[in-house]
Amino acid sequence: MVKAVVMEGPGKLSVKEFPYPKVERGSALIKVEMAGICGTDKHMFKGETVHPRGLLTKFPIIPGHEVVGRIAEVSDEASKSMELLGRELKVGDRVVLDCAITCGKCYSCRKYPGFPFCDKYSGHYGWGLTCKDPPHLFGGWSEYLYALPDTRLLKVPPEVPPEVAVLTEPMTVPIMSFTMASNAVSTSYLYPPPEYVVIQGSGPIGMLHLIFSKLIGTGEVIMIGRPEYRLKIAEAFGASYVINIDEIKKPEERVREVLHLTGGRGADLVIEATGNASALPEGLEMLGRLGTYVITGIYIDVGEVSINPQRLILSKWAHIVGVPGQTHQSYPKALELLRKYEGKVGFSRLITHRFKLEEAVKAMEVALSEECMKVVFTP
Amino acid sequence: MVKAVVMEGPGKLSVKEFPYPKVERGSALIKVEMAGICGTDKHMFKGETVHPRGLLTKFPIIPGHEVVGRIAEVSDEASKSMELLGRELKVGDRVVLDCAITCGKCYSCRKYPGFPFCDKYSGHYGWGLTCKDPPHLFGGWSEYLYALPDTRLLKVPPEVPPEVAVLTEPMTVPIMSFTMASNAVSTSYLYPPPEYVVIQGSGPIGMLHLIFSKLIGTGEVIMIGRPEYRLKIAEAFGASYVINIDEIKKPEERVREVLHLTGGRGADLVIEATGNASALPEGLEMLGRLGTYVITGIYIDVGEVSINPQRLILSKWAHIVGVPGQTHQSYPKALELLRKYEGKVGFSRLITHRFKLEEAVKAMEVALSEECMKVVFTP
Amino acid sequence: MVKAVVMEGPGKLSVKEFPYPKVERGSALIKVEMAGICGTDKHMFKGETVHPRGLLTKFPIIPGHEVVGRIAEVSDEASKSMELLGRELKVGDRVVLDCAITCGKCYSCRKYPGFPFCDKYSGHYGWGLTCKDPPHLFGGWSEYLYALPDTRLLKVPPEVPPEVAVLTEPMTVPIMSFTMASNAVSTSYLYPPPEYVVIQGSGPIGMLHLIFSKLIGTGEVIMIGRPEYRLKIAEAFGASYVINIDEIKKPEERVREVLHLTGGRGADLVIEATGNASALPEGLEMLGRLGTYVITGIYIDVGEVSINPQRLILSKWAHIVGVPGQTHQSYPKALELLRKYEGKVGFSRLITHRFKLEEAVKAMEVALSEECMKVVFTP
Amino acid sequence: MVKAVVMEGPGKLSVKEFPYPKVERGSALIKVEMAGICGTDKHMFKGETVHPRGLLTKFPIIPGHEVVGRIAEVSDEASKSMELLGRELKVGDRVVLDCAITCGKCYSCRKYPGFPFCDKYSGHYGWGLTCKDPPHLFGGWSEYLYALPDTRLLKVPPEVPPEVAVLTEPMTVPIMSFTMASNAVSTSYLYPPPEYVVIQGSGPIGMLHLIFSKLIGTGEVIMIGRPEYRLKIAEAFGASYVINIDEIKKPEERVREVLHLTGGRGADLVIEATGNASALPEGLEMLGRLGTYVITGIYIDVGEVSINPQRLILSKWAHIVGVPGQTHQSYPKALELLRKYEGKVGFSRLITHRFKLEEAVKAMEVALSEECMKVVFTP
Ligand SMILES: [Zn+2]
Ligand SMILES: [Zn+2]
Ligand SMILES: [Zn+2]
Ligand SMILES: [Zn+2]
Ligand SMILES: [Zn+2]
Ligand SMILES: [Zn+2]
Ligand SMILES: [Zn+2]
Ligand SMILES: [Zn+2]
């Protein structure tokens, strides 16, 4: 039998057992080494369950889309075609998961190659495939994950340990953010580097954007978040300034502070990594002329927000970009960055808490408390 | 004495006389041949007076920022430096006006060359310079316009008549829209041409975006507007489909219609040319994956609007771009397009009504009625 | 038996018969309706046989990579996966061929999605697959073409006749040229449209670049080529000026002419569509400041040429871009342009000569004479 | 009297005295603190005297276009308009020189804002203005430099010493290189960061490209140059590999080495910083698919070189970009990078030799020996 954490609906977490699966043609089985808890998982736990493009959480689910593990079994077909860069897969290989399943051959896969738009979309691991139906194991909070045909796995170099590799999926997010933003007039005008970057949100995604900003030589990075625990980490990773929203409670005061820190001009680039709709008007207020605003945290539908399009967009000559996921190609870049800069950056320090599957309720509590950075399961 | 239309405040239009000015060092005087009424003028007349970057209408004003005329007098300095492309200016030369005055030498002029951001900003003709103070003549609805130092005038080739040249300033708007949009990932992905373009708004700015779209070979253009009078013109200029908002009154039905017309995929590019904040959520609903939304009509502050950032921006992997004005460089491009394609396109057909200065109240009535396209004064 | 034209080596063309093939798993068979003669075919006939990336012509071959035909047979797998946009393929469907076979799953296919870089490269139809081995039928100058697994076919809408659809592959070339060029600083600076475009070469590829330039609203197009026959066609398709190299024989005089026509400034964009290395220095001389030079015709290795990098590249702040092929995604765009603008442009007028397979020698003679535009076989 | 180094022609250096000038309207006088010797100066000394756009060295000259100094005198007009970012200039202010004089108001200045294309071009300091005519002092190897109207000076923050500020002009070069390259498809495809960068040339310009590459997080940087003295510095500044051309003498062996170091794929970005035409074919051989090649060192005309356009450009789907100078806007970015990263990078270590004006012959000898990095005068 295979042990896994099941979320049966909002607020309901338990450990279940599933039969050990038979690996079918085109498929593979991964022995999970480590799987992260993401903001998306917290949203679903809280009952916010509408993903991009209106896709719904398919309860009951085994959560977990940030996954590293070792190949336990692999079919002939999968061994030749499932590795993201075309390499052979063998039992024992350490891999990370590309969490979106796309066919690569339909209208949308052809028109937007590498993007997770697929007309034959069959699901996302961790939330878009129910565990009701066999082979059940479609999430990373489990001893094993079953990789269906058309899934992509990326081989991990031997020198990269699980606590670094597990960050591959979240690390693709800043890569997408900066790639999308770099196409906007403002950043190319300022290229390189943006002088002032504001990051709204001090969780793991915000932190990876901070690290990425520093790696590509942007100027000052201002991080806005909470609690103290996380802002201390932000400073350790190179934030020039932190703004604690528990202390500076009024958005207009935070805006004033950012304007002050940027010499009255506002930021060249503002990254939303909060999951909170009210971040949008606040962040647009902080944006300077020809600035770029990237929405990456409002991944789950959390409702509407009111903005002034003239004052906050047109008048600033602003660009707004939404980033709901990642291309295939961003995975190898993310893993390579993690590998290359682990010595210099120490990404593994972001993994602050580790739990066994049986401790799922406690793990979620810690994640919700925000007195943590990345919380992971080590099944 | 010089006759001019004065807007003393919202709703107050009258004809006044001003002393014929003495042309000072660095300045020039233009005998106005034709000057347009723009949506901005209508907004100000209705009491909506906040321009981009919070700039206020400096009542009393002589409106008119779309201006063509002939050099009546020119100082030595201006004759050598005021022409936008460095050519000499002589009495009798036909010119169009770049309506923003920028110094070209400050931090903002250097950082964003050509853009109308200037730390020593001294005003916009037509609304940003009051006519209270001498030499008074800072708008086009007048027999003469006084061009201050640092103003740029663009020479008009002899074969371009006033009724074509007067469209130069509005023609810069689609050039800016498409230039900004072309930097967004979506259009470059689709380049060239975007398959489906939606234009919200059937006034002159919408119409020029339609014409421009056709000139650069985009696919089907869907224009949404009113009244019938204007939509007929849209069809004459090549719109594939028109949607009359007097007939299809519910936004959700218009969205459904656009999705239907685009094979369920939504538009690649949506241009807002309405001046109406509610156009934003409606237009974003019409946008397809990796689509680009350009805000160009909400030039005057008309308040807030509520949007769902996850569903309408992030989920679509969308780009939103705001365009509040034009660069210097866009003027020669606009004039060149008008010159080159007048034979093929017939831009001058957009000038549907001409009035004398004394008929200002009536001219504004016609403009407000929307039973017109471009309304102009011929002082 | 299946009749096909075979090129056994340079200068050797004959008609052979091959056994009618059995369609294997993953494959399909196309009954060819029309197949074009391309400059590449002429090069191979003349003994110039080195393709991009050093790939060699695999003599004996059945030439023909510009192919339209109807599905004669299709395996179950191919009917579900071989259509470029994911649509089902049925017997009788009209399709055009994407001439490069790529796996879509290797390092290179992932890194450059849609581009014909493939680490498991198995060949190009028309020159990269020998007809020695069964099922032999790997070129379009044949009654049937055998489509191997991983081939992509694109369905042709019913209103597009073969004489238009056969231009799909060559039409992808200007799409690639302009897409690549649009990323260069110069064209984005001038966007849109480039004021002056020079096209070197008046064959079908040059002609399609001319047509494409006009469709996207560029300014004056100057075409340089020979003979009179072709330059007349160029004028019919909208060239502003033509320069006949039989008349103006010295490159420096042609350069002088282009500088004259462009007001001394040189062209914003120069497209090489000649297959002749000496076009490079000549075309760079014609290029203006921040101009872009696109190499698309020197597809076959024709040796070296001497250039002055300071004067011709650095000094002009120039961009040079090489385009050796097309992405998958460019095919649907090409076909859509052909479909949409056939009524306006009359692409089918480019098909000037049609031959039966038995007339292969004569067809090649006509193609080599250049007293033709596109020459095709109608098997 | 004012002492200055004069180059009367190739090979002829001497120290001369000039009258202390009267500062005219619109002008300023700078007391030079430090001025660098650039590769261009070495070229001119060796008799290679054709600059970009065919401009000739105007012998006799006072060389020196990399200049930092303090305002000694400033006219009223210049104090208000000569600072690059619009700040006031006062006696005693430390400034660096933008070495190109452009009017900002002609066709070319408007069309390419910020670029040193000017139809009223009046010269470059250090080589494009002769010292024959008063006020003579148009180069940095002098006690004073006379700044003409339309010159731009950039204020240096107090914490930046002359040995850092003097690198501003050369530091603009990598900024331009990467800005131009970032518009090419290849780097945006790989963005961010390029995996492999090759820099040809180990002088100051090569070294600043190396430092810049590291600051923006590119992958491995391979530097090719000589002698050992310089390659040791390259390693100290973070080159992953160095290739000594005194040791690996054959270009084809160096190409093989680069292919080996890049896993057979070639570099994503190759920067030419040698001033040697033969670098072009060698560097193109080292370039990978969709790679970008930036020509920045072949600033002076050094003749022609033979290349194979099919194999080296088209076949690789390559971009080639030439960079002959810098925009205004690149100066503040360069100075800001120097200021910000001096603590981390230690740019001042690049200043390896300092000389008095009287030691000009010896200074040039050291510069030519290449047993140095940046050689400067401290008048
Ligand atoms: Zn996640
Ligand atoms: Zn798909
Ligand atoms: Zn207006
Ligand atoms: Zn200014
Ligand atoms: Zn071909
Ligand atoms: Zn492949
Ligand atoms: Zn230099
Ligand atoms: Zn100029």
Side-chain angles (χ1 to χ4, degrees), chain C residues 126 216 348:
Chain C
I216 64 165
S348 50

Side-chain angles (χ1 to χ4, degrees), chain D residues 102-110 117-121:
Chain D
T102 55
C103 80
K105 299 189 164 176
C106 67
Y107 173 89
S108 295
C109 284
R110 295 277 192 216
F117 298 134
C118 177
D119 300 338
K120 295 172 182 167
Y121 174 76

Side-chain angles (χ1 to χ4, degrees), chain A residues 337-356:
Chain A
L337 278 179
L338 291 166
R339 183 197 68 74
K340 184 169 171 197
Y341 290 112
E342 171 59 11
K344 179 176 169 188
V345 170
F347 293 101
S348 50
R349 293 182 289 155
L350 292 172
I351 313 296
T352 55
H353 296 77
R354 297 167 188 227
F355 291 97
K356 291 287 150 195

Side-chain angles (χ1 to χ4, degrees), chain C residues 118-173:
Chain C
C118 177
D119 300 338
K120 294 170 183 169
Y121 174 75
S122 40
H124 263 81
Y125 291 94
W127 56 264
L129 292 159
T130 182
C131 67
K132 252 192 314 199
D133 310 316
H136 312 288
L137 306 172
F138 300 130
W141 300 3
S142 170
E143 290 176 326
Y144 289 93
L145 181 142
Y146 189 95
L148 293 166
D150 286 337
T151 299
R152 286 167 302 276
L153 305 175
L154 178 65
K155 271 197 191 185
V156 178
E159 69 269 31
V160 180
E163 60 267 31
V164 174
V166 75
L167 294 167
T168 304
E169 194 273 347
M171 191 70 196
T172 61
V173 182

Side-chain angles (χ1 to χ4, degrees), chain B residues 256-275:
Chain B
R256 206 149 43 224
E257 181 66 10
V258 167
L259 291 177
H260 170 70
L261 292 171
T262 57
R265 303 193 186 280
D268 302 306
L269 181 61
V270 178
I271 307 277
E272 180 280 321
T274 67

Side-chain angles (χ1 to χ4, degrees), chain B residues 158-224:
Chain B
E159 70 269 31
V160 180
E163 59 268 31
V164 174
V166 75
L167 294 167
T168 303
E169 193 272 347
M171 191 71 197
T172 61
V173 182
I175 288 178
M176 292 312 298
S177 294
F178 279 80
T179 303
M180 306 293 282
S182 76
N183 292 308
V185 87
S186 51
T187 35
S188 82
Y189 241 85
L190 302 172
Y191 184 88
E195 297 177 26
Y196 290 102
V197 177
V198 165
I199 298 173
Q200 300 177 290
S202 56
I205 292 290
M207 219 54 70
L208 290 171
H209 278 85
L210 162 63
I211 293 169
F212 191 88
S213 293
K214 303 302 293 180
L215 285 177
I216 62 165
T218 58
E220 313 305 329
V221 180
I222 303 165
M223 179 165 272
I224 303 172

Side-chain angles (χ1 to χ4, degrees), chain A residues 250-299:
Chain A
K250 293 193 182 155
E252 59 270 30
E253 283 178 16
R254 298 193 291 259
V255 168
R256 205 148 45 224
E257 181 67 9
V258 166
L259 291 178
H260 170 71
L261 291 170
T262 57
R265 302 193 187 280
D268 302 305
L269 182 60
V270 177
I271 308 276
E272 181 279 320
T274 69
N276 199 325
S278 68
L280 177 61
E282 179 176 335
L284 288 172
E285 296 277 7
M286 292 165 175
L287 199 64
R289 290 168 180 183
L290 281 165
T292 300
Y293 188 84
V294 180
I295 304 178
T296 181
I298 311 175
Y299 180 83

